[in-house]
Amino acid sequence: MAQEAPGLGIDFGTSNTAAGYLRDGRPHLVPLAPGRMTMPTTFFFDHDSRRMLIGEPANEALLEGAEGRFMRALKRVLGTSLMHERRQILNERVTFVEIIARFLAAVKARAEAEAGMTFERVLSGRPVVFHGAGDPREAAAEADLRACYLAAGFREVTFMPEPEAAAIASGALRPGSVGLIVDVGGGTSDFSLFRAGQGGVEILANHGVRIGGTDFDRAISIDRVMPLLGKGSELRKVMGPGASPVPNAIFNDLATWEKIPFLYTPQNRRMVAEMLRLAHEPEKLARLARALQDELGHDLSFAVERGKIAANAGEAASILLDPLEAGLAVPLSAEALTESLARHAEALTEGARETLRLAGLDAARVETVIYVGGSSLMAMVSRAMHGLFPEAQHQTSEVFTAVADGLAIAAGKASRSRAF
């Protein structure tokens, strides 16, 4: 009687990725970088070495000013036509399917080197919704992600909703009690209501909304940073008196992680140069022109992210925009952070309410609320959930690795059931 190698569980996230497998009956996470069980889901195409860097080396290359192209939040592109468009990167024309596949192949290789075995099967986490309930891109998004795993060298690919995996990892709740997983990641927020049992968990309802940490960054950037680059200012009309507002589209894209790599085109640079010529506040539009010319979009987004984290911790925070202009900074108080994220807090509350409705449960039935996902650490998330579940116990799980733990457990159990 032989037993198959365990399946590999992979939490391929918008911002970070983790992987694990069942070892000696317990989930074992793979060190994807020295001393770290998670790896940033980032890519840098280095013009000098002609290599694709991933994870922390990719982040470092960007922040050190290396010549190349940086990408982040590619998970949000799944299900769109952009996934299959060929584009020239370094010496070849590749699709995003191929780019993500190379990232996943590196995760597979690191797991196999650490485990001393070959992983041919993968259980991947997936958001409850990639784009939205009933969105026609949902099936395409899962098909795209499956294609990425197959291109990475896996022979069998199955999926599990990410909050369901986190519920499996939650473990020690009283049998019969009802819990809610609140999984707020980089690109989506997912909810799973579950009932704990002796043999595991029973999922009562899953629901998700396309809101995550990258959306929080976008809201802060649009409210606090983009006005310094000309958002909300006016242009003189080419002919005749009067003025017209500066178009918002380019600011919206510059504040959106996954859209930044597509902004640096001659057409956009010419458009901004023309706006600068007509600007009532040329010093602001000059900053926008500089951001495009020097390809500083990701630098600005990282600055917003750092400011967000500091303000969330209650510190006197600022968004430091030195890469754009020496000494330029935007204050970001906790109150300003709350104001920028208010509509997202309302959407999270509505997402949790919809999960209750799908399960046919009242909020009072929920005994435990468990937070996972890096963006669940935002204070506005817990405030929103405490408002809806004031009597529940609220606890923070292993926010960055709970999903990978649950996937490892589920993948290992599936392997045992297939043993012969």
Side-chain angles (χ1 to χ4, degrees):
M1 302 288 283
Q3 182 170 325
E4 292 187 3
L8 184 65
I10 296 181
D11 177 19
F12 173 67
T14 302
S15 300
N16 294 281
T17 291
Y21 59 95
L22 204 62
R23 187 168 80 177
D24 300 327
R26 299 179 61 83
H28 172 77
L29 295 182
V30 176
L32 294 179
R36 296 187 60 177
M37 301 303 170
T38 65
M39 177 169 64
T41 311
T42 51
F43 310 76
F44 188 85
F45 299 89
D46 190 286
H47 287 173
D48 291 332
S49 68
R50 316 304 289 176
R51 294 187 301 122
M52 183 180 91
L53 307 177
I54 61 173
E56 203 57 50
N59 292 359
E60 291 170 359
L62 173 75
L63 297 176
E64 289 170 2
E67 288 292 324
R69 180 181 294 191
F70 180 85
M71 294 182 182
R72 188 188 188 195
L74 290 190
K75 186 176 180 181
R76 304 201 83 181
V77 183
L78 292 168
T80 72
S81 61
L82 293 173
M83 283 296 297
H84 302 278
E85 292 179 4
R86 292 202 170 270
R87 59 197 73 246
Q88 188 72 32
I89 299 180
L90 300 181
N91 298 324
E92 57 185 336
R93 291 182 63 78
V94 293
T95 66
F96 282 138
V97 170
E98 292 167 315
I99 291 170
I100 293 173
R102 292 174 189 179
F103 180 93
L104 294 173
V107 173
K108 182 177 187 288
R110 294 177 191 187
E112 290 174 344
E114 194 264 354
M117 66 181 78
T118 300
F119 293 105
E120 295 190 341
R121 293 180 301 102
V122 62
L123 175 63
S124 172
R126 57 150 291 166
V128 175
V129 295
F130 288 94
H131 295 278
D135 193 301
R137 295 172 293 179
E138 285 298 300
E142 184 173 296
D144 283 346
L145 188 51
R146 183 184 303 279
C148 294
Y149 278 109
L150 292 173
F154 292 100
R155 293 189 178 182
E156 182 181 324
V157 185
T158 52
F159 294 98
M160 173 177 283
E162 290 156 2
E164 186 173 330
I168 291 171
S170 63
L173 297 188
R174 177 180 60 80
S177 66
V178 174
L180 174 70
I181 298 291
V182 178
D183 180 1
V184 187
T188 57
S189 295
D190 293 330
F191 306 88
S192 276
L193 274 167
F194 68 96
R195 181 178 289 108
Q198 296 287 359
V201 300
E202 174 193 358
I203 300 299
L204 304 176
N206 287 325
H207 183 60
V209 293
R210 189 176 161 88
I211 295 171
T214 57
D215 298 288
F216 304 161
D217 296 344
R218 182 177 187 270
I220 297 163
S221 183
I222 288 173
D223 287 353
R224 310 294 162 180
V225 174
M226 292 303 145
L228 294 180
L229 279 69
K231 182 180 182 295
S233 63
E234 293 187 327
L235 306 175
R236 298 188 306 275
K237 290 191 174 179
V238 176
M239 298 181 65
S244 58
V246 174
N248 282 331
I250 195 162
F251 300 107
N252 293 337
D253 288 353
L254 188 58
T256 304
W257 279 100
E258 67 269 25
K259 293 184 178 181
I260 292 169
F262 308 108
L263 280 175
Y264 307 129
T265 64
Q267 179 183 3
N268 279 339
R269 289 181 175 123
R270 286 194 299 270
M271 178 185 71
V272 172
E274 177 64 11
M275 290 195 299
L276 176 57
R277 186 178 70 83
L278 300 171
H280 277 238
E281 298 176 272
E283 71 283 359
K284 293 183 178 180
L285 270 296
R287 292 173 184 143
L288 176 61
R290 192 175 308 125
L292 294 187
Q293 184 61 43
D294 295 343
E295 300 189 359
L296 297 175
H298 286 109
D299 298 78
L300 300 182
S301 291
F302 271 117
V304 169
E305 186 177 54
R306 288 191 291 269
K308 173 190 72 176
I309 292 169
N312 186 63
E315 302 173 12
S318 292
I319 302 170
L320 304 178
L321 303 173
D322 282 337
L324 184 62
E325 182 179 307
L328 185 64
V330 184
L332 184 65
S333 65
E335 293 75 20
L337 183 67
T338 298
E339 180 183 341
S340 287
L341 301 184
R343 66 184 180 88
H344 292 314
E346 293 173 7
L348 292 175
T349 300
E350 287 306 310
R353 283 201 182 104
E354 177 62 13
T355 313
L356 289 168
R357 188 193 68 77
L358 292 171
L361 291 180
D362 186 83
R365 291 285 307 279
V366 176
E367 299 176 38
T368 308
V369 177
I370 301 171
Y371 300 92
V372 300
S375 294
S376 71
L377 297 173
M378 296 297 295
M380 68 92 169
V381 175
S382 59
R383 281 198 301 268
M385 294 303 107
H386 273 87
L388 188 55
F389 305 101
E391 303 302 321
Q393 178 186 2
H394 293 252
Q395 65 185 56
T396 301
S397 181
E398 298 292 334
V399 293
F400 295 105
T401 58
V403 171
D405 282 336
L407 293 170
I409 294 168
K413 289 182 177 180
S415 297
R416 288 178 176 176
S417 70
R418 292 160 56 108
F420 61 92

